[in-house]
Amino acid sequence: MISYIFKQIGLGIISVVFVAIIICGIVFYSPVDPARMSFGQRSDEETIQLFKKKYFLDQPLHIQVFRFFEDLSPIQWISKDDLRLNDYSYKSLSVWKDNILILKKPYGRQSYSTGKPVFEMIAQALPSTFALAFISILCAVFLGLILGFISALHVHSKTDKFILAFCSLSYAIPSYVSSLIIVILFAFVWGNITGLPIQGSLWEFSDEGELQLQLKNLILPVLALGIRPVSMIAQMTRVASLDVIQSDFVRTARAKGINNIKLIYDHLLPNCINPILTTISSWFASLLAGSFFVEFVFNYKGLGLLTISALNQFDVPLILGCCIVVVIIFVIVNLITDLLYAYFDPRIRIA
């Protein structure tokens, strides 16, 4: 088990590195001058050249990518004259001539648009996105499992056909379309009845300037974000349950008069959990890292809205930071999913 965990972590690190290299290549080859983006068009040439020298923006692509990964590395061998030392929070481990070995926090550089550290901005946005994704997937799992098991136990009935039609329709509608429909209906047309705002974030400032938790601002984004996962979880639950229902032990249990709830809990769920778990984990990672359109429509201040703002402003360090965090999220969720396989299904043994 331990060796498997370390193997998966190693593969995850390799995935992060390769994806980051590809993203760096795309961004750094774009026809935009990062220095002028950072200081504006009226800055003097000396300041621009100093900025390029500091972050090696006047060097070839492979050197720029290497220096960027140097900033992310917790251990670094660096020259005492390197201008980046002023930005690092580090501890010196060893000194040799004009170079020092340092232990430091991973440095994602500073946003071109705000001048704030990139990882600080991501750390502020990520909890709101996590809350939105977590509540969305909980609601989607609850409704998806119920609909899937009902559909499987009443296969080919009108109820089954209605659930399948609902799942097909809800999955076919893109998230940004469902977001617009939901915000128009529940916040604009029926706003006087629901009392729900058109836009808003999890944390907002009151009229007195106090930061307050606004849970009602989660309702519509959760509804918009959770529709598609409900359809996929329901369909996967139905397909997996139908395979198990044909088994002899299920037929025997039903012949003995077992009720449907006990049948689901004792026989269906333990034997069809793996494909359902795969669907849940993949969608949770997608919700956690890809709720871009939903956050944009509802002006919900999370990782998705932050990434869209970075793309609009061509904020290179923030774009890279957000993309790397997204990749890390997918790697972590996949690792946790693989470990849960062995926990829920005793037939699986991880070598």
Side-chain angles (χ1 to χ4, degrees), residues 83-121:
L83 298 175
R84 294 175 297 170
L85 281 174
N86 298 325
D87 297 331
Y88 291 165
S89 175
Y90 67 93
K91 180 180 179 181
S92 179
L93 299 179
S94 178
V95 179
W96 188 75
K97 294 184 178 180
D98 293 330
N99 298 307
I100 55 176
L101 180 65
I102 61 174
L103 179 67
K104 64 179 178 66
K105 294 180 181 179
Y107 179 60
R109 300 187 178 178
Q110 295 178 340
S111 168
Y112 290 161
S113 57
T114 65
K116 296 180 180 179
V118 166
F119 288 149
E120 180 181 317
M121 297 177 66

Side-chain angles (χ1 to χ4, degrees), residues 186-198:
F186 293 98
F188 185 73
V189 178
W190 300 326
N192 293 332
I193 301 174
T194 63
L196 297 175
I198 296 178

